[in-house]
Amino acid sequence: MTDIAVPFVNKKDQFELPVGIIYLDGNSLGPLPIRSRKRIAQVVSDEWGAMLIGGWNKADWIGLPRRTGDAIG
C-alpha cells in the first residue's frame, strides 16, 4: 500500500455501495455517504417538517450561504 492510500484505508464502509462494486467515476457526486442520508432525514423531519418557515432563523438556514462560502474560501 502506498503512503497516499493510507488516509483512505477503511473508509469504504462510510458509503452506500453495492457489494462487489469499485466506484471510480470522477464525473459524478460519487457514492452516497451514509452520514449524508442520516443528516438529510434529520433536516427534513426536525427542521423543515417541525419548524416550517421558522427554520430560516431557528435552524439558521439564512446563514448557510455565508458559512458555505467561508468553508470553500
Side-chain angles (χ1 to χ4, degrees):
M1 183 177 317
T2 66
D3 289 340
I4 197 152
V6 172
F8 300 104
V9 170
N10 301 322
K11 299 291 184 185
K12 186 176 179 181
D13 61 342
Q14 295 178 14
F15 298 90
E16 292 189 7
L17 285 167
V19 174
I21 295 293
I22 297 173
Y23 194 82
L24 300 174
D25 188 340
N27 296 316
S28 77
L29 292 173
L32 177 65
I34 293 169
R35 287 180 11 176
S36 294
R37 180 182 296 280
K38 292 176 182 177
R39 175 67 176 131
I40 290 167
Q42 184 263 324
V43 167
V44 168
S45 175
D46 299 344
E47 295 179 17
W48 183 11
M51 295 179 196
L52 301 171
I53 197 169
W56 284 102
N57 294 315
K58 293 177 186 173
D60 195 30
W61 296 344
I62 198 80
L64 279 171
R66 179 171 299 280
R67 290 194 310 275
T68 302
D70 289 348
I72 291 170

